[in-house]
Amino acid sequence: KGPENVNQSVAVEISTNYPILACFVLCLFGPICEELTYRVGLYSLLRRVHIALALAVTTIVFALIHFDFAAEDIVSELWSLPTYITSAVILTLAYEHRGPACSMTAHLLYNTFAFIMIFVEKYYG
């Protein structure tokens, strides 16, 4: 496990202080909004121009939206960037080949797993 970036730190703080609200936001609302924005919106729009352009731009935007440029520990942000890039590519390919229900489900499951792991680490780690 690498260092915790700002995005992860905020998720942990919100989850431990407001678990029900965090579950709704992090496990349901956030992934659905991101899929509608990045895959259904941005990717679909750019795909009309070129599929490789759509994949590249959507991946970069998705990864950078999770990156905190003002973070004091920029190394932890850079450490997390490959994970966000990989996630963006996988979710975009899921959207391309199976549609929005697939990418949304994958994103919901990924975030739900991360949410559960916050508590597993807190109580058993």
Side-chain angles (χ1 to χ4, degrees):
K1 178 183 169 181
E4 195 171 81
N5 69 4
V6 173
N7 192 48
Q8 293 163 324
S9 297
V10 169
V12 168
E13 184 177 337
I14 292 170
S15 296
T16 54
N17 292 326
Y18 309 99
I20 294 171
L21 176 63
C23 183
F24 176 75
V25 171
L26 300 174
C27 300
L28 186 64
F29 185 71
I32 290 172
C33 287
E34 287 184 355
E35 289 308 305
L36 290 173
T37 302
Y38 301 112
R39 256 58 74 185
V40 176
L42 182 61
Y43 177 79
S44 294
L45 177 69
L46 293 175
R47 192 182 188 294
R48 295 176 189 167
V49 178
H50 195 276
I51 192 169
L53 173 69
L55 177 61
V57 170
T58 303
T59 297
I60 291 167
V61 170
F62 181 84
L64 292 180
I65 202 73
H66 292 89
F67 190 89
D68 187 349
F69 291 94
E72 290 180 25
D73 182 10
I74 201 71
V75 172
S76 65
E77 295 299 311
L78 291 170
W79 181 267
S80 298
L81 203 53
T83 302
Y84 294 125
I85 291 169
T86 303
S87 298
V89 169
I90 290 169
L91 292 170
T92 304
L93 292 174
Y95 175 80
E96 173 68 28
H97 293 286
R98 299 287 183 208
C102 182
S103 64
M104 282 184 197
T105 301
H107 202 152
L108 288 164
L109 290 172
Y110 181 84
N111 280 25
T112 300
F113 177 75
F115 179 76
I116 291 167
M117 291 310 296
I118 288 170
F119 294 100
V120 168
E121 188 172 317
K122 179 179 178 182
Y123 295 108
Y124 300 105

